[in-house]
Amino acid sequence: MAFPEPKPRGPELPQKRLKTLDCGQGAVRAVRFNVDGNYCLTCGSDKTLKLWNPLRGTLLRTYSGHGYEVLDAAGSFDNSSLCSGGGDKAVVLWDVASGQVVRKFRGHAGKVNTVQFNEEATVILSGSIDSSIRCWDCRSRRSEPVQKLDEAKDGVSSVKVSDHEVLAGSVDGRVRRYDLRMGQLFSDYVGSPITCTCFSRDGQCTLVSSLDSTLRLLDKDTGELLGEYTGHKNQEYKLDCCLSERDTHVVSCSEDGKVFFWDLVEGALALALPVGSSVVQSLAYHPTEPCLLTAMGGSIQCWREEAYEAEGGTG
């Protein structure tokens, strides 16, 4: 007699705090996983960028070279380079191993809110309060951007990149998707200033958070509204949102000290995770595992699912 197949386990949410790291770099403006989720970057109000092993709680390197607070950072697909942007209006390309500045790109007229590499890490895309997205060639000695996208009517708060698309959110209340293969621009009007946008992991949908304390899930191709998620508070700050590693849950920071998880399909609130007493400034979700990083004040917190046991015991 054959035993019935075990039911596939439902998705587990990261709600067990494994570590709190005091980053020692003023307020942490953003926390970002690297491509494989083994390391993370923290962006500090003290002008530094730091590379960590978050599960071990070890600092690997500090990157100094910005003239003002660092607001966003990203790692390349091969972990050899980092890019960052900040309040000094500069976009910086870093060598991970040496900690040195490889290039500093200047041209934005205001602070740089968001930076991303393209898939090959040959181009950095930066979005600024100056309403433009600029594309910088990492291999060229040219100081000008290779392309400038200036359709936004107000500051660009969020830029994400797929293999042939650029997704941008703006304070003007519009999400813009540039299809680089087709040379087309698609625009969806949300109405409230947009704080964060991202692609679903399957590439079919876009998630948009805005200052009306609402997240919206849109069909990427048609712009159709597939879901709305509320309960958190986001009325003042640029806060991160994302989808969980299997696209099962929508995740958002909140100004009331929690991270909110909603069931993507049902729209129901699954978990309000208490992080602390102030604004959850930033979050990052592991690419393949139920692991979450949050930033509050000068610290980051590392969360795993309840069943997780750290190697060599917890803590």
Side-chain angles (χ1 to χ4, degrees), residues 258-271:
K258 301 187 187 84
V259 170
F260 283 71
F261 296 78
W262 296 266
D263 183 286
L264 177 119
V265 178
E266 306 283 326
L269 183 64
L271 173 67

Side-chain angles (χ1 to χ4, degrees), residues 155-224:
V156 176
S157 56
S158 178
V159 172
K160 296 292 188 319
V161 184
S162 75
D163 62 345
H164 67 284
E165 297 165 304
V166 176
L167 183 69
S170 169
V171 179
D172 69 10
R174 283 191 178 274
V175 192
R176 293 175 177 86
R177 181 170 60 89
Y178 298 86
D179 187 318
L180 306 176
R181 274 186 203 150
M182 309 287 289
Q184 287 180 296
L185 167 62
F186 302 91
S187 175
D188 290 305
Y189 186 60
V190 169
S192 177
I194 291 167
T195 59
C196 186
T197 57
C198 59
F199 292 107
S200 59
R201 308 220 179 223
D202 67 6
Q204 303 294 305
C205 307
T206 55
L207 182 66
V208 183
S209 70
S210 50
L211 288 181
D212 55 358
S213 299
T214 305
L215 286 94
R216 293 170 177 87
L217 188 71
L218 306 177
D219 182 290
K220 190 184 78 176
D221 292 325
T222 66
E224 181 190 353

